[in-house]
Amino acid sequence: MDKNRKIYLDNNATTPVDPRVVEAMLPYFHDIPGNPASRNHPFGWAAEEGVDYAREQIANLINVDPKEIIFTSGATEADNLALKGVFEMYASKGNHIITCKTEHKAVLDSCKKIEKMGGVVTYLDVKEDGLIDLEQLEAAITDKTILISVMWANNETGVIQPMKEIGDICKKHGVLFMSDATQAVGKISVDPKAVGVHLLAFSAHKMYGPKGVGALFVNRKNPRVKVTAQIDGGGHERGMRSGTLNVPGIVGFGKAAEIARNEMAQDAERLSKLRDKLESTLMHNLEETYINGNVDHRMPHVTNMSFKHVEGEGLMMTFNQNMAVSSGSACTSASLEPSYVLVALGLGDDLAHSSIRFSLGRFTTEEDVDFAIDALTKGVTHMRDLSPIWEMYKEGVDLTIFEWSGH
Ligand SMILES: *Cc1c(COP(=O)(O)O)cnc(C)c1O
């Protein structure tokens, strides 16, 4: 094994920027220095042209009108703008929002803030496979409900929610529908209008574009949706998001969208085969290995697996000099907490702590996957060989009597 080899299987955390994207961005750092808001000289016009073109490339990717794209600093800001912006704009209609326990923190923490501002938020449970229950969703709607926010695809498990069915429920009850589609846009077909989504948040750096730029799609017709600005200033982006536009970032985002539109089908096909190889080989090599989340409704490049009786953070230490993945534990100031997403799926602390997320990407090769298979097989075997719990399990001792204490 090459000791200097570095394998990146953490593409759900962020993706490398595609070299074609870097190339498209370069002129906008120096050669085209203008501010697109400078309407009275060619420098400004050139920058504006770059932004306009990117807006079209991005709109084409999700099949919307370029006027419906509001640029932000990323998906976190887009989520904040959608949730708080709708809450403020539609205050006279109601104060109730419905979302889901497995949402990204950008949504959950925005909802917490909204509760402090007098809003009422319902956090739906998910089923064991990570999907929401549509009957529970419909039953949660009241005459005060203004917005339903459900993510397109989950960042930890890759599970894809039934967007069309949720959209139909929203339509039936006259409720706005928002989706954090950060993990889906550019990887699978995302067409918000076709499924009745009125607000869609996404980010360049999860689709081979640069960090620090994202967008919110806001439906302009039938219905005309408005959000109250959360950042005030010069009235950029149709008054919904002030601030000088990140021109190189936006140009790169546009290029990333164009590439994704052309290549996502072939990327998805290639990556799902590699993902399936990774999964099936690990399941074959290692007993007591489980896949978390629905395997029929999920992103093609992601798998979240639990290796029972192996602590995920410790497992990662056996290979993290050479390979990046993500564990189902989150470091808080005091302790290691199991992922709230996996807990919401009903995983016990032990299985949540023993989980690893592999997220493949455009630049993942079969050799990378073979390396991962080898590293995980060795790492898990090594950890289990050292583990008294594993020994007891092999001897048939009932382990349910032990409480997990991973701290
Ligand atoms: C990464 C991510 C975000 C945050 O996006 P940023 O552009 O980094 O702010 C929000 N939601 C989901 C589902 C994500 O995966």
Side-chain angles (χ1 to χ4, degrees), residues 214-235:
L216 181 66
F217 151 74
V218 182
N219 202 69
R220 244 166 86 88
K221 272 191 205 143
N222 306 319
R224 183 176 180 85
V225 178
K226 285 185 173 169
V227 293
T228 302
Q230 301 299 306
I231 295 178
D232 300 304

Side-chain angles (χ1 to χ4, degrees), residues 21 26 52 406:
V21 168
L26 287 175
D52 285 348

Side-chain angles (χ1 to χ4, degrees), residues 12-13 73-77 79 104 106 151 153 155 180 182-183 203 205-206:
N12 277 19
S73 63
T76 300
E77 189 193 332
D79 284 334
H104 191 271
M151 72 202 313
N155 44 303
D180 177 345
T182 312
Q183 291 292 346
S203 188
H205 80 94
K206 303 282 174 80

Side-chain angles (χ1 to χ4, degrees), residues 224-286:
R224 183 176 180 85
V225 178
K226 285 185 173 169
V227 293
T228 302
Q230 301 299 306
I231 295 178
D232 300 304
H236 310 71
E237 297 300 273
R238 296 172 43 232
M240 285 188 254
R241 201 281 191 177
S242 288
T244 298
L245 293 174
N246 170 2
V247 179
I250 288 168
V251 167
F253 192 5
K255 185 67 186 177
E258 182 193 292
I259 296 169
R261 190 161 178 252
N262 294 331
E263 299 182 5
M264 72 179 155
Q266 74 197 50
D267 279 352
E269 197 189 310
R270 188 179 72 85
L271 293 178
S272 69
K273 282 191 189 130
L274 291 181
R275 188 268 316 270
D276 292 349
K277 177 182 182 184
L278 174 67
E279 254 175 9
S280 60
T281 315
L282 287 178
M283 306 268 290
H284 173 265
N285 290 358
L286 298 162

Side-chain angles (χ1 to χ4, degrees), residues 35-62:
N35 185 329
S38 300
R39 294 276 159 73
N40 46 9
H41 56 64
F43 296 91
W45 303 333
E48 191 183 25
E49 236 171 70
V51 169
D52 285 348
Y53 189 63
R55 207 185 289 279
E56 259 172 54
Q57 289 169 311
I58 293 161
N60 284 341
L61 176 62
I62 59 168

